[in-house]
Amino acid sequence: MADSDLPVFSFRPNWREGVTERLSFMTSVARSKAGSEQRRQLRNTPRRTIEADFLLTGMERTFWDLFINRLGGQEITIPLYWCVVAIPSALVAGASDSVLIDTLYQEFQEGDLAILMGDDARFYEVVEIEAIDEYGLTFVDPVSNNWPAGTKIMPLRRGIVDDFGDL
């Protein structure tokens, strides 16, 4: 999958400040002299914007600085933070190719990527989703690292970081 070659935005948001998701639709409105309107969509899907604050200290702050300076406006993959699920049982490196989680109302998709996140932004693993059912996810390949129960998994989407706010 082509997205697996993109850099991964693996930083966790500060939930105290909240995470904001905005959807922007692009519509053309043609008005007649009689006052009636005709509306046409100009995008197939809405543009999704995610805004969040991040609390970074120590090595994670250094990793942030290096990551942001390397980006240069290129595409990356970004976690959908509101779709976070804690895995109920440990995943074993080289052996676990699926995880039992509730997928109802989540944005995981077959063929897309998901991220397993460790305790800080430097420790994560990206997995490709082969199949989804109501009992969980099956990965294309087994995980490369051991992940304890309680590890967070989230879907990834392609995006661009276009505003870094106050650094």
Side-chain angles (χ1 to χ4, degrees):
M1 171 170 225
D3 287 352
S4 63
D5 296 337
L6 295 175
V8 178
F9 191 86
S10 59
F11 302 93
R12 291 179 187 235
N14 176 6
W15 282 104
R16 183 168 287 174
E17 301 299 322
V19 174
T20 303
E21 175 192 28
R22 288 188 172 82
L23 300 175
S24 303
F25 298 85
M26 191 171 198
T27 306
S28 171
V29 180
R31 292 187 174 93
S32 71
K33 290 182 181 182
S36 62
E37 293 181 349
Q38 178 182 8
R39 296 176 181 263
R40 281 188 9 221
Q41 83 178 36
L42 300 177
R43 285 189 189 129
N44 290 333
T45 58
R47 177 173 289 155
R48 180 184 263 181
T49 305
I50 302 167
E51 296 176 12
D53 288 332
F54 299 88
L55 287 176
L56 306 166
T57 59
M59 291 302 294
E60 201 171 26
R61 174 61 191 209
T62 303
F63 182 60
W64 168 271
D65 290 337
L66 294 170
F67 184 85
I68 295 301
N69 286 319
R70 178 186 172 269
L71 269 184
Q74 79 180 66
E75 287 189 326
I76 60 173
T77 53
I78 302 170
L80 300 183
Y81 298 112
W82 52 91
C83 291
V84 63
V85 179
I87 62 174
S89 57
L91 299 178
V92 179
S96 299
D97 66 350
S98 63
V99 61
L100 299 176
I101 59 170
D102 183 9
T103 58
L104 189 63
Y105 305 119
Q106 299 296 335
E107 293 189 45
F108 295 105
Q109 295 178 0
E110 291 179 4
D112 277 357
L113 302 175
I115 184 171
L116 291 156
M117 294 185 79
D119 291 333
D120 88 32
R122 298 172 296 149
F123 306 107
Y124 65 89
E125 183 173 346
V126 175
V127 292
E128 186 177 349
I129 301 169
E130 181 176 40
I132 301 172
D133 61 25
E134 68 246 26
Y135 303 111
L137 308 172
T138 302
F139 309 135
V140 171
D141 297 310
V143 294
S144 301
N145 300 298
N146 292 321
W147 295 99
T151 297
K152 307 293 193 251
I153 187 169
M154 292 172 254
L156 286 172
R157 293 293 183 271
R158 182 183 290 232
I160 297 173
V161 178
D162 64 357
D163 184 12
F164 303 113
D166 298 329
L167 296 175

